[in-house]
Amino acid sequence: MDATSHSFKRNVHARLGDEALQANLRRFGGGFADRRRDAVGRVDDFEALRDRASEIRAEVLTHLDHWLLAFEAEATRRGTAVHWAETGAEANQILLGIARAAGVQRVIKSKSMVSEESGLNAVLGAAGIEVTETDLGEYILQLADEPPSHIIAPAIHKSRDEVSALFAEHHGTPLTRDIPALCEEARQHLRPRFLQADMGVSGGNFLIAETGSVAIVTNEGNGRMVTTLPRVHVAITGIEKVLPTLDDLSAILRVLPRSATGQDITNYVSVLTGTRDAGADDGPEQNHVILVDNGRSRLLGGALHDALRCIRCGACMNHCPVYQNIGGHAYGWVYPGPIGAILTPAFLGLEKALDLPQASTLCAACEVVCPVRIPLPELMRTLREQEMEQGLRPWHERLSIRLWRWLALHPALYAVATRWGIRVLRWLAGKDGQVHRLPGLDGWTEGRDMPAPQGSTFRDQWRTQLAAREAQGKARAAATPVAMAAAGAARSKAP
Amino acid sequence: MRIGFFVTCLVDAVRPRIGFASIQLLEAAGCTVEVPAAQTCCGQPGFNSGDRASGTRLAQVFLEQFESFDAVVAPSGSCVAMIRDYPGLFADQPALAERLQRLVSRTHELLDFLTHHAPQPLPAGALPLRATYHDSCSGLRNLGIKHQPRQLLATCDGVDLCEMRDAEICCGFGGSFSVKLGEIATRMADNKCNHALATQPDAILGGDLGCLLNIEGRLRRRGDQRTQVLHVAEVLAAGQLAASGELPAPGQFVGMPVTTKD
Ligand code: SF4
């Protein structure tokens, strides 16, 4: 997928000004967050489940090579072909090779974020193979020719009216606001595609080393058809998705749906192992798994290692006030929100996504909900450090931070600088005690006033007061007038 | 109890009143307060911008300035959260990390200190004020500050605290974020203002000056000159003074408005 993460600020400006999008974002608002809170409230000790899930993911990553090879051996033994792809492009070529060898004309897909990374649909399309997305959200986006804006609710940025208009345009049907009718319409259009397809491409939420299985967690049931109806099934997923055992899967499934959609369990959990049994009448004749690295192994053991624990639940974006205001597309690549602010620079290169690690107030709303306890704010700060160290921040920013640090380490000079700063701000302030425009800090004053300082610094006033207290020997009585005077001064500036 | 007061760079420069209010409250709660003269900043502005040295160097200054006190108190959750992170920055110097750990574990955010650690509880205050409280992120999520301001405000007779929707959602300050990505910060501040104003408050309260400036800046730009934006300490201190009769009648002091609505 082509990235626009380098022009984040421009993306943001456009999204904040897009009234239709803003209305859609507001409409859904904290929906997922509320549902998560309720779901978490229904279990006894969700924090313990988070601990367990985090441990499992952390343990796998420490011995990732071992678990991947174990998965490969077991999957192969059960008739699944395992392919390794270093890049997204390589994954696309492997998949294309499988399709060609099997004479595939039509592909149906269930949701796969890794295939968004690799831009698979475009590659298959260029090779003359028809691709149909069957996840409802992805289907809508395929018609709209847009990328997903959320990892579990890809079309969350679209209103029902927009979907209705899209369906009317592509299906030649009348407009309707009835959501079940829209779903039924999609179902009618997808059914023949399911039946005609000769290859199903799915993602893989998890790989189970113990059984060589691919586990898929869905709500619409399309994943089950994609993986069982066509004669060839290919799962394409990241190398970090492996879990040692089915027990581990069950531990992870306790936190995934609750964190994602606030469901206790999703409508479907499919564990796919090997090919169609002899004599059985469903299941694929060929089963393939493509394990995609695409930058992941570079993170192992490094400063961003913990980000690989991610189980793609989307909770971090559902709780992120930045995401909630700008939507997923502004982030400019496959993964939006806090985890995207880490994975995009990690996978594409920091220089291609300079603003993303900065696109957070570090409010930690993500961290406190992440089911695998990824320290997301800390990782964003780490990336900020890397930007600094690699000289990727503007020179004036680097210079002003060094200057500020130097001053902060020299209290006497710092006091002088603060006194001057206060003077300048008070001079710039209007009669209302607010600075309306502050050269160099336009980022602030474009949308907000800057309340001017009240007077001299606290420490200067405190020194005076301390002397007075000592002179009078009446400690507490002295505190009042100065505080009052300062307060009064600030008050009298207001109209 | 001998307290070292860490005033924080923002309060020092922009709103000294919060510092005086804090000291008044600490003294009322039975503490002896000192203000080490050579303090500057916790280092957060640089540290969160990617300059690790801002954290490590200022951590050492903090240690020098405050190690001798029984406890350290600051009127800001985000500065205290930064300070609590200091020991982790010295993984390669265990002795220093250990010393820092001892100091930071007796370093407290003001409202938390007054609620749980002060030698005696605050005397009751009195102040007619309809207010709503914004939970600043670092205090809330890193330090667990949630009930403390509400409990303290409840001891102040006449303070009518009305909870706003989404009180726990970030106001958009985020230090350098508020300048680097000002457009998003403004939108977030706008949402915060909307939710706060829906409770029709005389004052929007908080425990972190950065957030308060962000919210006030947006309010004023929207043309609201009436709604006050105050640190909880300012309200509590005024309430104390009023209750002890040291101030003129409510409505004429410390920049607090009387409730004008019915
Ligand atoms: S980072 Fe955590 S919260 Fe975000 S998608 Fe991954 S697992 Fe979910």
Side-chain angles (χ1 to χ4, degrees):
Chain A
M1 179 176 158
D2 292 335
T4 62
S5 45
H6 53 278
S7 55
F8 179 72
K9 281 188 187 158
R10 227 176 314 139
N11 301 351
V12 164
H13 182 72
R15 296 320 188 285
L16 286 174
D18 181 339
E19 274 314 316
L21 172 70
Q22 288 296 319
N24 294 347
L25 290 171
R26 268 196 304 274
R27 186 170 319 111
F28 196 68
F32 278 140
D34 294 346
R35 285 181 220 167
R36 175 195 177 273
R37 195 197 44 229
D38 295 345
V40 164
R42 287 193 296 269
V43 286
D44 279 347
D45 191 355
F46 194 70
E47 293 310 302
L49 299 181
R50 285 175 75 202
D51 285 338
R52 182 78 196 107
S54 316
E55 278 163 24
I56 292 170
R57 293 295 298 142
E59 152 62 25
V60 166
L61 293 175
T62 338
H63 305 287
L64 187 60
D65 51 346
H66 167 81
W67 293 116
L68 278 171
L69 292 174
F71 168 79
E72 182 185 36
E74 199 51 36
T76 312
R77 201 175 69 77
R78 301 193 186 216
T80 298
V82 178
H83 311 262
W84 302 80
E86 204 173 316
T87 61
E90 209 177 308
N92 292 342
Q93 288 315 310
I94 292 170
L95 195 136
L96 200 55
I98 299 169
R100 287 203 171 117
V104 166
Q105 304 283 313
R106 295 188 185 86
V107 168
I108 47 172
K109 272 185 78 198
S110 62
K111 208 163 74 60
S112 152
M113 296 310 286
V114 176
S115 76
E116 299 285 345
E117 284 180 42
S118 70
L120 175 65
N121 291 9
V123 171
L124 289 178
I129 297 174
E130 179 195 288
V131 187
T132 307
E133 294 283 357
T134 65
D135 172 273
L136 181 58
E138 292 283 358
Y139 176 67
I140 292 166
L141 296 183
Q142 192 177 23
L143 296 183
D145 193 22
E146 284 177 27
S149 70
H150 189 287
I151 61 175
I152 60 159
I156 196 165
H157 59 284
K158 290 228 170 291
S159 69
R160 75 170 93 174
D161 289 322
E162 288 167 294
V163 172
S164 175
L166 206 56
F167 279 12
E169 180 193 338
H170 288 267
H171 300 159
T173 44
L175 294 173
T176 171
R177 303 203 76 231
D178 183 29
I179 289 179
L182 289 169
C183 292
E184 185 53 32
E185 193 175 322
R187 187 175 284 131
Q188 292 309 329
H189 274 80
L190 287 172
R191 180 131 306 170
R193 314 271 185 104
F194 278 121
L195 296 172
Q196 289 160 5
D198 25 36
M199 178 189 263
V201 174
S202 72
N205 291 80
F206 303 103
L207 305 163
I208 316 298
E210 174 182 48
T211 56
S213 318
V214 177
I216 295 178
V217 179
T218 70
N219 272 320
E220 295 173 14
N222 64 313
R224 206 157 267 196
M225 293 202 273
V226 163
T227 54
T228 54
L229 282 178
R231 57 193 166 83
V232 183
H233 167 231
V234 184
I236 170 168
T237 195
I239 53 168
E240 83 282 19
K241 295 291 184 62
V242 66
L243 296 174
T245 65
L246 286 170
D247 276 348
D248 296 325
L249 174 65
S250 118
I252 297 281
L253 288 180
R254 282 171 212 276
V255 295
L256 174 57
R258 291 188 170 103
S259 303
T261 49
Q263 292 168 286
D264 297 331
I265 186 78
T266 44
N267 295 347
Y268 298 87
V269 174
S270 308
V271 178
L272 308 156
T273 313
T275 52
R276 175 191 301 208
D277 289 335
D281 37 45
D282 59 4
E285 291 157 21
Q286 290 183 31
N287 196 24
H288 301 263
V289 178
I290 306 178
L291 300 174
V292 185
D293 181 343
N294 209 25
R296 288 160 172 78
S297 58
R298 268 205 315 269
L299 307 191
L300 278 173
L304 303 176
H305 176 94
D306 289 343
L308 292 173
R309 292 213 291 262
C310 178
I311 56 172
R312 305 283 190 270
C313 72
C316 54
M317 51 207 80
N318 295 340
H319 292 76
C320 175
V322 173
Y323 175 94
Q324 294 296 325
N325 278 294
I326 63 176
H329 285 159
Y331 290 82
W333 197 54
V334 179
Y335 304 103
I339 189 65
I342 294 157
L343 292 183
T344 304
F347 289 173
L348 299 184
L350 197 46
E351 67 293 346
K352 297 221 173 63
L354 283 179
D355 289 326
L356 292 195
Q358 314 283 341
S360 163
T361 59
L362 308 182
C363 78
C366 51
E367 184 178 24
V368 298
V369 295
C370 175
V372 287
R373 299 195 188 279
I374 298 173
L376 295 147
E378 182 55 29
L379 298 183
M380 285 185 251
R381 225 190 38 71
T382 300
L383 284 166
R384 293 179 187 185
E385 265 175 29
Q386 291 180 2
E387 289 187 6
M388 220 28 131
E389 282 155 14
Q390 295 169 24
L392 293 170
R393 297 307 305 168
W395 66 268
H396 50 87
E397 185 180 323
R398 281 179 284 154
L399 183 69
S400 53
I401 286 174
R402 292 182 81 98
L403 185 66
W404 170 86
R405 189 219 300 153
W406 184 79
L407 278 172
L409 290 166
H410 296 82
L413 290 171
Y414 184 87
V416 174
T418 312
R419 274 175 217 139
W420 275 102
I422 289 173
R423 244 172 245 170
V424 171
L425 282 172
R426 283 174 68 83
W427 177 72
L428 284 171
K431 278 208 187 66
D432 56 358
Q434 303 289 329
V435 181
H436 302 287
R437 214 187 138 248
L438 198 54
L441 291 180
D442 317 288
W444 179 294
T445 52
E446 261 164 29
R448 288 152 293 170
D449 287 348
M450 173 82 75
Q454 282 174 330
S456 50
T457 67
F458 169 83
R459 284 176 301 150
D460 283 348
Q461 293 185 41
W462 175 250
R463 234 194 339 272
T464 319
Q465 190 181 122
L466 215 53
R469 278 185 177 208
E470 270 154 23
Q472 297 177 10
K474 279 169 66 187
R476 196 160 164 284
T480 316
V482 180
M484 298 275 301
R491 184 65 181 151
S492 64
K493 275 203 129 191
Chain B
M1 196 181 218
R2 217 175 125 251
I3 301 293
F5 184 60
F6 185 68
V7 62
T8 78
C9 62
L10 265 189
V11 169
D12 183 53
V14 184
R15 209 179 271 182
R17 192 169 76 198
I18 297 171
F20 287 105
S22 305
I23 290 180
Q24 183 198 319
L25 294 171
L26 287 167
E27 289 180 345
C31 305
T32 313
V33 184
E34 288 175 41
V35 183
Q39 57 176 296
T40 54
C41 172
C42 67
Q44 195 174 190
F47 187 69
N48 281 350
S49 299
D51 181 48
R52 201 177 169 79
S54 293
T56 51
R57 301 284 302 276
L58 284 157
Q60 283 157 295
V61 174
F62 181 78
L63 189 67
E64 284 159 26
Q65 295 278 312
F66 287 95
E67 203 175 17
S68 66
F69 291 97
D70 298 329
V72 184
V73 174
S76 156
S78 86
C79 306
V80 172
M82 172 76 215
I83 289 166
R84 293 266 174 96
D85 280 346
Y86 284 162
L89 303 178
F90 297 93
D92 50 344
Q93 298 173 60
L96 181 56
E98 178 70 38
R99 263 175 79 196
L100 274 165
Q101 187 54 50
R102 275 196 298 274
L103 175 57
V104 308
S105 55
R106 56 178 201 275
T107 300
H108 305 280
E109 187 274 343
L110 174 75
L111 306 174
D112 182 44
F113 180 84
L114 290 171
T115 313
H116 295 300
H117 308 281
Q120 62 199 52
L122 279 184
L127 189 74
L129 187 78
R130 186 177 167 90
T132 190
Y133 176 81
H134 161 63
D135 292 279
S136 285
C137 302
S138 300
L140 175 71
R141 283 182 270 272
N142 298 328
L143 305 175
I145 292 166
K146 178 78 189 173
H147 62 280
Q148 297 88 330
R150 292 170 174 85
Q151 232 165 280
L152 290 168
L153 286 165
T155 67
C156 195
D157 195 30
V159 171
D160 174 15
L161 192 70
C162 303
E163 295 291 343
M164 69 173 102
R165 209 185 103 196
D166 292 348
E168 294 187 356
I169 291 185
C170 181
C171 73
F173 175 63
S176 62
F177 173 88
S178 62
V179 178
K180 281 182 190 155
L181 292 158
E183 216 183 336
I184 311 177
T186 298
R187 183 63 59 90
M188 290 167 69
D190 221 29
N191 298 341
K192 183 55 69 183
C193 292
N194 292 340
H195 293 320
L197 292 180
T199 68
Q200 302 193 299
D202 299 316
I204 300 171
L205 311 183
D208 248 301
L209 183 53
C211 314
L212 296 179
L213 295 175
N214 188 44
I215 295 169
E216 181 177 334
R218 184 58 197 159
L219 269 185
R220 301 296 174 254
R221 179 61 60 90
R222 285 163 51 146
D224 183 330
Q225 304 294 341
R226 190 196 74 85
T227 312
Q228 301 254 351
V229 183
L230 301 167
H231 194 287
V232 173
E234 295 176 272
V235 175
L236 294 173
Q240 296 276 307
L241 292 176
S244 61
E246 285 184 44
L247 275 176
Q252 300 173 14
F253 59 96
V254 204
M256 303 284 173
V258 239
T259 308
T260 47
K261 291 180 304 291
D262 40 24

